[in-house]
Amino acid sequence: MARVVVISGGGTGIGFGVAEAFAADGEQLVLVGRRAEVLDRAAARLRTAFPGIPAPLAVAADLADPAGAEHAAKAVGERWDRVDVLVNSAGGNAALGAPADRTGGLAGTAWHWEQNFRANTLTAVLLTEALKDRLATPGGRVVLVSSIAAYRGSGSGSYGGSKAALHPYAYDLSAELGPRGVTVNVVAPGYVADTEFFRGALSAERERTLVAQTDTGRAGLPEDVAATVRWLASPEAGQITAQVVQVNGGAERGR
Ligand SMILES: NC(=O)c1ccc[n+]([C@@H]2O[C@H](COP(=O)([O-])OP(=O)(O)OC[C@H]3O[C@@H](n4cnc5c(N)ncnc54)[C@H](OP(=O)(O)O)[C@@H]3O)[C@@H](O)[C@H]2O)c1
């Protein structure tokens, strides 16, 4: 029987790579994001690439909003009595899209912290809380996508801080759900190419710097992160919980 795999941010970048990895296993995918047209295109691409899979469900919702998370959970609950795998990939660095009037002063600082907390912490926590009672028992899997910024900072602190907040959340949730046979883990990528994360504004020089910080001499790809998520979601990984797995080609050590 196909597993029900819910992927926030599943329409683009790392989330879409995760969707491809689970589609290759024939799973029932649920893609959640704010832009319906992006999700519909992603679902169509998956069906073309993996013709045998069950039709992916696309749910448009703002997961930083409790009502959005409830809407997504309801859409899932109307169709299936359980969620086997929940991957929280929705997020991004609010600083990269900050309006000009939100860059200075204390008001600008507050905006950055609030927006990053909403985009990265709340999106993951609210969807997980909305679905946790329906996680397959035993065997359910929760994966949260953090960042190398949780270890190294992110310039202003607010993006890295909003990702670092997911780590103790995962530890506490693992303790809560472990007795049900559900694991909770975090994957923290370094620089990953082929995503919308940098909103098309990553300079060639900055990209060279990020690649030069790796031991592997290359950018990460969505499939690198997806392979780690797929492994953590496998039945064989049932004893791995409350862990943070970094996928960064060694870049956290710094160069
Ligand atoms: N790319 C990197 O170098 C990198 C490195 C470390 C960690 N990460 C993390 O990896 C995750 C995936 O990012 P990505 O690199 O794949 O970038 P991406 O292509 O921009 O993906 C982010 C996804 O999250 C969705 N999203 C954002 N805010 C949302 C909200 N409030 N509600 C619902 N969906 C929301 C976006 O869709 P909508 O805009 O349609 O909502 C988009 O599909 C993020 O958490 C990011 O912080 C990325």
Side-chain angles (χ1 to χ4, degrees):
M1 189 171 56
R3 293 191 294 174
V4 177
V5 181
V6 177
I7 307 167
S8 78
T12 67
I14 291 170
F16 184 72
V18 170
E20 289 183 304
F22 284 105
D25 293 334
E27 310 293 28
Q28 171 64 62
L29 302 173
V30 181
L31 310 178
V32 189
R34 289 167 300 187
R35 292 166 295 170
E37 68 284 5
V38 169
L39 298 172
D40 289 343
R41 270 202 305 275
R45 278 177 66 193
L46 289 165
R47 290 201 83 178
T48 303
F50 304 94
I53 61 169
L57 175 67
V59 183
D62 183 348
L63 296 172
D65 180 354
E70 271 163 21
H71 169 67
K74 188 161 175 275
V76 173
E78 282 169 356
R79 291 163 179 84
W80 302 284
D81 61 2
R82 68 182 199 289
V83 171
D84 296 287
V85 182
L86 168 59
V87 182
N88 291 286
S89 190
N93 189 345
L96 298 173
D101 63 343
R102 299 290 190 177
T103 50
L106 278 184
T109 300
W111 186 89
H112 281 261
W113 281 86
E114 283 169 5
Q115 292 303 312
N116 270 322
F117 180 74
R118 289 176 60 78
N120 296 292
T121 316
L122 279 186
T123 53
V125 171
L126 292 178
L127 184 61
T128 304
E129 292 296 312
L131 290 174
K132 75 178 180 188
D133 290 345
R134 286 195 233 132
L135 287 164
T137 303
R141 299 280 186 264
V142 178
V143 179
L144 303 144
V145 177
S146 176
S147 169
I148 193 172
Y151 294 89
R152 291 183 54 173
S154 54
S156 70
S158 62
Y159 173 66
S162 69
K163 288 299 194 186
L166 297 175
H167 302 193
Y169 174 62
Y171 307 150
D172 287 348
L173 194 65
S174 172
E176 180 185 338
L177 301 183
R180 281 174 46 193
V182 176
T183 68
V184 183
N185 291 290
V186 178
V187 175
Y191 166 54
V192 178
D194 297 342
T195 76
E196 294 185 356
F197 183 86
F198 293 94
R199 306 181 194 211
L202 181 66
S203 71
E205 187 188 353
R206 177 70 183 143
E207 184 176 31
R208 273 195 297 276
T209 302
L210 292 171
V211 170
Q213 289 170 349
T214 66
D215 296 337
T216 53
R218 69 168 177 86
L221 295 170
E223 48 263 44
D224 293 313
V225 183
T228 307
V229 172
R230 181 172 173 269
W231 163 63
L232 288 169
S234 68
E236 292 75 18
Q239 187 64 354
I240 301 169
T241 192
Q243 301 301 312
V244 185
V245 181
Q246 297 201 58
V247 182
N248 58 33
E252 192 233 343
R253 300 288 168 235
R255 272 167 199 281

